[in-house]
Amino acid sequence: NAGVTVISNDDRNENAYFYEIGYQHQLDSLFSIDASYKKVETFTSSVRDNSDDFVQSYDAYSLGIKVGQHQGYLSLYGKAGVSLIRSETQTWDGTSSTVLVDEDDTIKPYASIGASIASPYEQGLTFDVAVNYQMLANDQHSTSVSGGVNLAF
């Protein structure tokens, strides 16, 4: 999957892009185990002098449960779990006139809802859209919209 997200840091927001790869192991017709890796980076790549902007990137290694309901070609799902997040945030410190870099490793929950449509032409191929919520370190969070292609084998 790939998409855009908004990262909230205190009362400031920055737009970011991400890509995600994952694996799902189907337990039964309703439940599956979901494992994924997500890379997120803000569009802003550097902090300017006397700016309220921030730069953030993080890697999220996630493990959770997916619950899905299938109706013909359409599937609706929800998933939730925990993520090990390795993040770096850069902000401008006006007092010292320097860029502050905060690196953090933390474990936080995530949740997602989405829908997928199976290809009528290629078995095992589905197209997916989702809304994702990820808690981050230091009371930050990320809300994202993603779209992608899934291949079952």
Side-chain angles (χ1 to χ4, degrees):
N1 285 340
V4 295
T5 186
V6 175
I7 300 174
S8 298
N9 182 352
D10 295 326
D11 60 347
R12 298 171 291 171
N13 296 318
E14 286 290 339
N15 294 323
Y17 63 91
F18 71 90
Y19 63 87
E20 179 178 30
I21 58 173
Y23 173 77
Q24 292 178 17
H25 180 75
Q26 197 73 38
L27 298 174
D28 60 26
S29 63
L30 191 60
F31 294 98
S32 60
I33 295 174
D34 183 64
S36 65
Y37 166 76
K38 181 187 268 186
K39 176 68 174 177
V40 180
E41 293 185 358
T42 54
F43 288 114
T44 305
S45 60
S46 63
V47 178
R48 296 184 312 263
D49 293 356
N50 300 318
S51 162
D52 284 339
D53 296 340
F54 66 94
V55 173
Q56 185 169 42
S57 65
Y58 68 87
D59 297 300
Y61 305 89
S62 303
L63 183 63
I65 296 289
K66 180 178 178 180
V67 179
Q69 180 63 46
H70 310 287
Q71 187 67 34
Y73 289 115
L74 179 66
S75 295
L76 302 175
Y77 66 86
K79 57 183 177 177
V82 294
S83 298
L84 168 62
I85 300 169
R86 297 192 168 159
S87 66
E88 178 181 288
T89 305
Q90 298 177 18
T91 55
W92 180 258
D93 181 17
T95 305
S96 63
S97 297
T98 60
V99 174
L100 297 178
V101 177
D102 179 28
E103 294 180 349
D104 198 354
D105 291 352
T106 187
I107 295 176
K108 295 288 186 174
Y110 74 90
S112 232
I113 58 170
S116 60
I117 298 174
S119 170
Y121 306 109
E122 186 67 39
Q123 186 172 347
L125 181 67
T126 58
F127 303 96
D128 182 79
V129 294
V131 176
N132 312 288
Y133 180 80
Q134 173 70 65
M135 293 179 73
L136 302 170
N138 304 320
D139 295 325
Q140 298 172 333
H141 65 273
S142 172
T143 303
S144 58
V145 175
S146 65
V149 176
N150 299 311
L151 182 60
F153 51 90

